[in-house]
C-alpha cells in the first residue's frame, strides 16, 4: 500500500486513448514523483476532470544502474538485493534504449518490477543505458531526481572480459571465433578502434552526456575492482548514496577461491553468480595490452577529473 496525493493539473498531454487513466503514485517521501502511465509517441489533450486515481503496490525505480557492461552490474544488483529495503528487477529491462519497449510506455515499464512495501524501493540495471545517447534525456523526462549508479573497471580488463563473453557465446552457438590480438590490432600494428567494445571504455565521453541531464550528486561511481575485493565496503557507500540505513555487512559475503570472487550468504546459504561470471579470460599478448592502455590513458585521466577520483588503472 502506498500513500496517494492528488496533484492539481490544468492540462496533461497524453498519448493513450481516453479510456486509459493516469496513475499518480507517491513513493517514499524523499522521492515523491508523478508517474503517468503513458506512451509518449503522440499528443492528446486530457483534463484533470477525466483523471482517475488508483492504488498500486508497484512504483517506478528510485535508482537505476546504468552500466557499464562487464563492469560488475549483475554482481552489484545481486548485492543490493541483500538490503531489506531494496527489491530488484530480475532481468535487464532495456526500456529506455529499446524502441519497442519504450513505445509501450510507462505501464509496461512499471510491470517489470515487483510489488513494494511502504519503505522499499526498486532498482533495475541495463548496462547499455550508459552508452546509448538518448537514454539520459528519457530517464530525466520520467524522473529528473533519479539516482544513478555507474560501476566501472579498468577499461582494458573490461574490454577483455567483454570479448571473453562474446567468444563463449559464439562457441555455444557453434559460430566461428577470432582471437583477441588479431581482432584488436591491425596488420600495420595500429589498434582497430572501431571494434565492438572499445568505445565503451572511453568512460569520459559517455559520462559527459549524462552530466548534461543530471547533476554530479545524483550519479554514484562505483569501483568495480573494489566490489570484487571488499564488496561490503562499496555497498555501505551505496547505502549512504541511497539514503538507506546500513544493513549489508561483511558476514553476508563468502570468498569463493575457485571462482575468484565473493558469493552471497542468504539465510545461511551460499549463493554465487551464474557460471558465466568469473570465467578465465581469453589469451591476450602483452603488446596488445600495452597498446590498449596507452590508448585509454588520456581518456582515463579525463574521467578521473570528471568524477574527482583517481582509480589508478594501469598505464602500460
Amino acid at each position: 500500500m502506498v500513500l496517494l496525493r492528488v496533484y492539481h493539473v490544468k492540462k496533461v498531454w497524453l498519448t493513450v486513448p481516453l479510456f486509459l487513466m493516469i496513475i499518480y503514485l507517491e513513493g517514499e517521501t524523499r522521492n515523491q514523483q508523478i508517474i503517468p502511465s503513458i506512451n509518449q509517441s503522440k499528443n492528446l489533450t486530457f483534463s484533470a476532470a477525466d483523471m482517475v486515481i488508483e492504488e498500486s503496490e508497484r512504483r517506478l525505480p528510485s535508482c537505476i544502474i546504468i552500466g557499464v557492461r562487464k563492469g560488475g552490474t549483475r554482481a552489484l544488483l545481486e548485492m543490493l538485493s541483500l538490503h531489506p529495503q531494496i527489491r530488484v528487477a530480475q532481468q535487464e529491462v532495456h526500456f529506455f534504449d529499446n524502441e519497442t519497449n519504450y513505445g509501450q510506455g510507462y505501464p509496461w515499464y512499471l510491470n517489470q518490477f515487483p510489488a513494494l512495501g511502504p519503505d522499499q524501493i526498486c532498482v533495475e540495471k541495463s548496462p547499455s543505458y550508459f552508452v546509448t545517447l538518448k537514454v539520459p534525456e528519457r530517464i530525466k523526462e520520467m524522473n529528473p531526481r533519479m539516482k544513478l549508479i555507474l560501476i566501472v573497471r579498468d577499461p582494458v580488463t573490461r574490454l577483455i572480459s567483454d570479448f571473453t563473453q562474446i567468444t563463449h557465446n559464439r562457441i555455444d552457438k557453434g559460430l566461428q571465433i577470432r582471437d583477441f590480438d588479431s581482432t584488436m590490432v591491425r596488420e600495420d600494428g595500429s589498434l582497430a578502434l572501431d571494434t565492438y567494445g572499445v568505445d565503451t571504455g572511453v568512460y569520459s565521453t559517455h559520462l559527459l552526456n549524462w552530466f548534461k541531464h543530471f547533476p554530479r550528486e545524483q550519479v554514484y561511481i562505483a569501483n568495480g575492482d573494489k566490489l570484487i575485493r571488499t564488496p561490503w565496503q562499496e555497498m555501505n557507500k551505496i547505502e549512504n548514496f541511497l539514503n538507506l540505513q546500513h544493513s549489508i555487512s561483511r558476514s553476508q559475503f563468502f570468498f569463493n577461491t575457485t571462482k575468484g570472487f565473493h558469493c552471497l550468504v542468504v539465510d545461511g546459504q551460499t549463493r554465487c553468480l551464474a557460471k558465466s561470471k568469473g570465467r578465465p579470460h581469453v589469451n591476450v599478448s602483452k603488446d596488445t595490452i600495452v597498446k590498449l592502455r596507452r590508448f585509454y590513458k588520456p581518456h582515463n585521466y579525463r574521467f578521473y577529473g570528471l568524477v574527482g577520483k583517481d582509480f589508478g588503472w594501469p598505464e602500460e
Side-chain angles (χ1 to χ4, degrees), residues 29-314:
T29 56
R30 64 177 177 276
N31 190 30
Q32 296 172 357
Q33 58 183 310
I34 301 175
I35 304 175
S37 55
I38 60 174
N39 179 319
Q40 299 181 352
S41 60
K42 301 177 182 177
N43 284 330
L44 179 65
T45 303
F46 205 86
S47 69
D50 296 312
M51 295 186 297
V52 179
I53 305 300
E54 185 171 290
E55 297 180 5
S56 173
E57 290 184 335
R58 284 194 172 101
R59 294 191 293 275
L60 294 178
S62 301
C63 174
I64 298 176
I65 301 172
I66 58 174
V68 60
R69 177 179 164 92
K70 304 310 294 180
T73 58
R74 172 51 62 180
L76 176 57
L77 192 72
E78 292 291 331
M79 292 173 187
L80 282 173
S81 71
L82 293 172
H83 199 290
Q85 290 179 264
I86 296 177
R87 300 205 65 190
V88 303
Q90 294 304 312
Q91 303 296 327
E92 292 182 4
V93 180
H94 291 288
F95 177 64
F96 298 100
D97 64 340
N98 182 291
E99 295 304 319
T100 299
N101 294 343
Y102 191 69
Q104 297 185 72
Y106 295 143
W108 181 90
Y109 189 47
L110 191 65
N111 284 330
Q112 308 311 305
F113 300 99
L116 303 177
D119 297 323
Q120 291 182 316
I121 64 172
C122 56
V123 179
E124 73 127 317
K125 73 103 173 175
S126 296
S128 53
Y129 284 170
F130 181 59
V131 298
T132 306
L133 191 63
K134 57 197 167 189
V135 169
E137 184 177 5
R138 286 180 170 182
I139 293 178
K140 184 178 181 179
E141 286 176 354
M142 184 185 75
N143 181 6
R145 290 171 291 178
M146 180 70 72
K147 292 192 174 184
L148 308 165
I149 299 178
L150 171 68
I151 180 167
V152 294
R153 301 169 67 189
D154 162 29
V156 177
T157 303
R158 191 220 66 81
L159 180 62
I160 297 171
S161 180
D162 200 352
F163 190 90
T164 298
Q165 178 168 306
I166 292 172
T167 298
H168 281 276
N169 290 343
R170 292 183 66 85
I171 291 174
D172 291 342
K173 295 176 182 178
L175 300 176
Q176 185 178 3
I177 62 172
R178 298 179 63 188
D179 68 272
F180 187 89
D181 293 313
S182 63
T183 301
M184 296 297 164
V185 181
R186 299 188 179 97
E187 292 184 0
D188 63 3
S190 63
L191 287 173
L193 298 178
D194 57 346
T195 301
Y196 171 82
V198 174
D199 178 68
T200 299
V202 185
Y203 302 142
S204 57
T205 299
H206 303 297
L207 189 58
L208 281 172
N209 183 44
W210 286 87
F211 283 168
K212 291 177 184 177
H213 303 277
F214 291 94
R216 172 69 180 88
E217 59 268 20
Q218 283 178 226
V219 184
Y220 181 82
I221 312 297
N223 189 322
D225 299 310
K226 287 187 176 180
L227 193 76
I228 294 173
R229 296 192 299 268
T230 53
W232 54 90
Q233 293 180 357
E234 196 66 22
M235 298 311 297
N236 287 164
K237 295 176 183 178
I238 294 175
E239 287 172 323
N240 291 335
F241 173 69
L242 296 176
N243 297 319
L244 299 176
Q245 293 182 345
H246 287 294
S247 176
I248 301 174
S249 66
R250 184 171 185 169
S251 64
Q252 293 173 288
F253 297 92
F254 169 77
F255 187 76
N256 186 310
T257 55
T258 301
K259 291 181 173 292
F261 55 79
H262 285 83
C263 297
L264 310 183
V265 179
V266 182
D267 297 327
Q269 301 295 319
T270 301
R271 188 180 80 204
C272 292
L273 297 177
K275 64 179 182 179
S276 62
K277 309 299 182 182
R279 285 172 172 154
H281 284 169
V282 296
N283 294 325
V284 183
S285 71
K286 184 177 179 179
D287 183 62
T288 298
I289 290 177
V290 169
K291 288 178 184 292
L292 285 168
R293 285 179 174 164
R294 287 176 178 171
F295 164 73
Y296 282 120
K297 180 178 177 179
H299 300 292
N300 291 344
Y301 274 99
R302 194 173 299 115
F303 177 70
Y304 299 163
L306 285 174
V307 303
K309 182 179 181 181
D310 187 337
F311 284 78
W313 291 321

